Every structure is written in C-alpha cells, then in structure tokens.
Amino acid sequence: MLTDEFLNWPIYSFLKEEKRTRLEELLHSLTIHHNMSCDLYKNLLIARDIKIENKFSLENVPFFPVRLFKLFHIQSINSKDVFKVLTSSGTTGQVPSKIFLDKETSNFQTHALVKIVQEFLGKNRLPMLIIDHPNVIKDRNNFSARGAGILGLSNFGREHVYALKEDMSLNIDEVNDFCERHKNTNTFVFGFTFIIWQNFLLELERLNLRLNLQNSIFLHSGGWKKLQDIAVDNLTFKERLNKVCGVKKIHNFYGMVEQVGSIFVECNQGYLHTPAFADILIRDPLDWSIKPNGEMGVVQVLSCIPKSYPGHSLLTEDLGTIHGEDNCECGRLGKYFEIHGRIPRAELRGCSDTQVSPTK
C-alpha cells in the first residue's frame, strides 16, 4: 500500500533489519503501482519475465537503467496531472533526462530534502550564499538539475545572495558585503562542486583574496568528473576552500535529478550516508550480482519518493563502494559509502558537470 509514512521516519536511526523490512514493503508497493500505471515499465518487467505478485527482497527489486529517462517519455500519471518537469542539464550533443512530477511527488521531494538537510544545518534558516547566478531558476515550471537543486536548498536559507553574475564571473562586491554583514553569525553556502572550484575558489585565489566564512556550512554536489580530470580530489577541494574562506564544515552530497529528494550527504568522516527512506546496492557490471562491502561496482539507488514516474529503483552509471553499515564513527546508522566517478565512456550528466567552460 502506498503511503507517505516514510517522511516521518528518523533519518539515520534505523538498524539494518528494521530499515530493510520497511523499505521492502514500500518498494514492492511502488513496483505494483508503476506496473499498473506506466506501460513502458510494465513492458520492461514482462520482457525480463519478472513476476510482481510476491514481495521482493531489497536486492531483487527490479531496477530501471537511469539512461532510459533520456530516451523515453516515462511517467505514471496522466499528462493533465503533470505539475513540474525536471531536466538534467544537457549540453550540446547530450540528451537530457526528463522527469515528470505531480504535486504529491514534488511535495515528497521537498519534505524528504528538509528532513535530510536539517540533520546537517539545523532547523533555523541561515543567511545563504549561493555560488551560482540567479537566472538559473528563472523558469519555475521547467527546471534543470541545477535550478532544482538551488531552489530546493534555498528553502534552508534566508537573505539569499548569488555569488556569480550571469556570465559566471565572480560578483565580488556582493560576496564581500555578505561576509561583512554576517561575519558573526552562522551562514549556509551552497553550490555545485565544479562551479565552486572554477568560478569561485580559483578566482579568489587569482585575485589573492581571503573571505571570512569560518562560521559557514558548505554543501556542494556534482562536477567531480571534471575535477578528477584535473587531478583535484575531495581532500584537496576542502583544503583549498579552508585556506581561502576559513570554512571547516564542508559536506559533499550525492544525488541525481532522477531521484530528487533522496540525497546522500557526506559525514565528518568523509563518507556518504543513506537516509532511512533510500538505499544503495553495488552490482558487478559483468553479471549484475551484488558486490560485498568493500568492493567497487555499479551503483543502484532505491528510494520511496518517486510515485509519478518509475524511478524508485535505478541502475546509475556511477561506480561506488559500500564501506559498512550501522557502524560509521560519525554515529549515523545505515550504509556509508563513496563514489569513485562515472563508468568509463559514460556521458557527462547533471548539474555543474554540464556547465560549459568559458573560452579565453
């Protein structure tokens, strides 16, 4: 039976068996729902000879290749009920994913995001610096992944200031004014990883400027493929940000436009964590069997949120490793893991990975 009860679950407090029982029940209900509501999904299950009458274990929930959202118009609602369309930020030569939301699924995404992010920011809305430009969220009915991310996380801030101009150059006057006004208070800074690196941090270093953001909490995501290409890892990213801005609390998170709301945030031990209503599995790319903890493979993401489209069990194009479950030194329960990047030859997708680099 479909329900929104998962929005009341404690985010990082379920032990393994309790979480599994709850997820398996809800994910089975979603599989039945999408089988009844989406012909393409139903045909996929038929083609794979999957019977849905009996409940699945977590490992046997049918998965849907995330790339199909680039190739097909996939939804489990009537077109008249489409409330919002999210797209990945495809650039020239790339086909973007399109995700069709009704009001209910959009509300699920918002509430789920609130529950997760409050674990790291607290419940008070903080003055917020956004490392991007304001026109990214101009069309509120058709969002890119970047726009959806900014708008979703803007709910956790107040007195929003954009650090960049529309041409992606640094608006240093606005940034300095933000730092001066809030030098004695906690603040929230959000941006996409490669944009923070290329358009914010490198520019501050080039100008030999230092900012007082020592009371800030940085949240960032996306763009690691480009950073890996120039040999910038997570530790280097944090060290350089700390040196220029004085910031110590820096959290990367893993997420995608095909499962907005189910984000996996990095703890102070450097691991990404699964929230109560989402999970990951690591699969062997040769036979799709489950890899044991500690071994790298292809990431499958599961989420209780997607009701308007069959995105509750997706095989991504990312490589990852689960390092443990219920025993991270940060104290959070659930699986903790790292992402190594894209499968070789997989195309760029989403957020700052697809910000066109300026030419000089």
Side-chain angles (χ1 to χ4, degrees), residues 105-337:
T105 302
S106 180
N107 286 334
F108 286 175
Q109 292 178 342
T110 300
H111 285 94
L113 196 62
V114 168
K115 297 272 289 186
I116 295 170
V117 175
Q118 282 183 344
E119 292 282 330
F120 294 86
L121 294 184
K123 293 188 176 180
N124 294 327
R125 297 175 71 184
L126 302 175
M128 183 175 181
L129 181 66
I130 301 166
I131 315 296
D132 216 310
H133 66 85
N135 284 345
V136 175
I137 60 169
K138 204 171 183 179
D139 183 353
R140 298 202 168 207
N141 293 316
N142 294 281
F143 283 126
S144 66
R146 253 169 79 190
I150 290 170
L151 199 73
L153 288 163
S154 293
N155 293 322
F156 302 95
R158 57 181 170 85
E159 302 174 59
H160 305 96
V161 170
Y162 287 83
L164 305 181
K165 301 175 184 176
E166 193 169 0
D167 63 359
M168 300 300 288
S169 63
L170 182 63
N171 192 337
I172 190 60
D173 292 337
E174 289 282 352
V175 173
N176 279 332
D177 181 63
F178 178 89
C179 293
E180 179 60 27
R181 280 189 289 122
H182 303 295
K183 60 185 178 184
N184 297 318
T185 58
N186 293 332
T187 57
F188 171 34
V189 183
F190 170 69
F192 291 99
T193 309
F194 187 71
I195 293 175
I196 292 176
W197 177 266
Q198 177 177 266
N199 302 90
F200 183 72
L201 181 60
L202 293 187
E203 186 63 6
L204 289 171
E205 290 180 341
R206 187 185 71 80
L207 297 170
N208 197 27
L209 295 175
R210 295 291 183 270
L211 300 179
N212 180 5
L213 288 169
Q214 61 180 344
N215 296 319
S216 294
I217 301 171
F218 261 68
L219 206 56
H220 68 97
S221 182
W224 282 110
K225 174 67 171 64
K226 282 186 174 180
L227 286 181
Q228 288 170 345
D229 289 345
I230 55 177
V232 176
D233 59 18
N234 195 18
L235 182 60
T236 302
F237 182 85
K238 288 181 176 179
E239 288 178 344
R240 297 270 286 270
L241 261 185
N242 173 261
K243 186 176 180 181
V244 172
C245 303
V247 61
K248 295 181 177 62
K249 296 179 180 177
I250 305 172
H251 300 278
N252 177 34
F253 72 85
Y254 175 62
M256 59 200 71
V257 72
E258 294 85 358
Q259 275 193 0
V260 168
S262 296
I263 63 171
F264 307 92
V265 184
E266 178 189 23
C267 70
N268 58 14
Q269 301 298 309
Y271 294 114
L272 301 162
H273 276 260
T274 58
F277 44 76
D279 212 343
I280 74 160
L281 299 168
I282 302 296
R283 292 192 176 274
D284 188 321
L286 297 179
D287 59 9
W288 303 124
S289 61
I290 298 295
K291 285 273 197 178
N293 291 355
E295 291 190 14
M296 183 172 70
V298 180
V299 176
Q300 178 186 350
V301 289
L302 303 123
S303 172
C304 297
I305 295 175
K307 185 179 176 186
S308 61
Y309 65 97
H312 60 301
S313 176
L314 299 175
L315 187 69
T316 74
E317 297 173 345
D318 298 319
L319 296 171
T321 301
I322 295 173
H323 290 284
E325 185 168 7
D326 294 348
N327 59 356
C328 182
E329 291 186 9
C330 77
R332 294 175 178 84
L333 301 184
K335 292 174 185 168
Y336 54 99
F337 65 100

Side-chain angles (χ1 to χ4, degrees), residues 26-27 34 48 75 81 91 117 156 199 265 280 303 321 351:
L26 266 181
L27 292 171
H34 293 304
R48 294 173 59 186
Q75 62 188 59
D81 295 322
T91 57
V117 175
F156 302 95
N199 302 90
V265 184
I280 74 160
S303 172
T321 301
C351 307

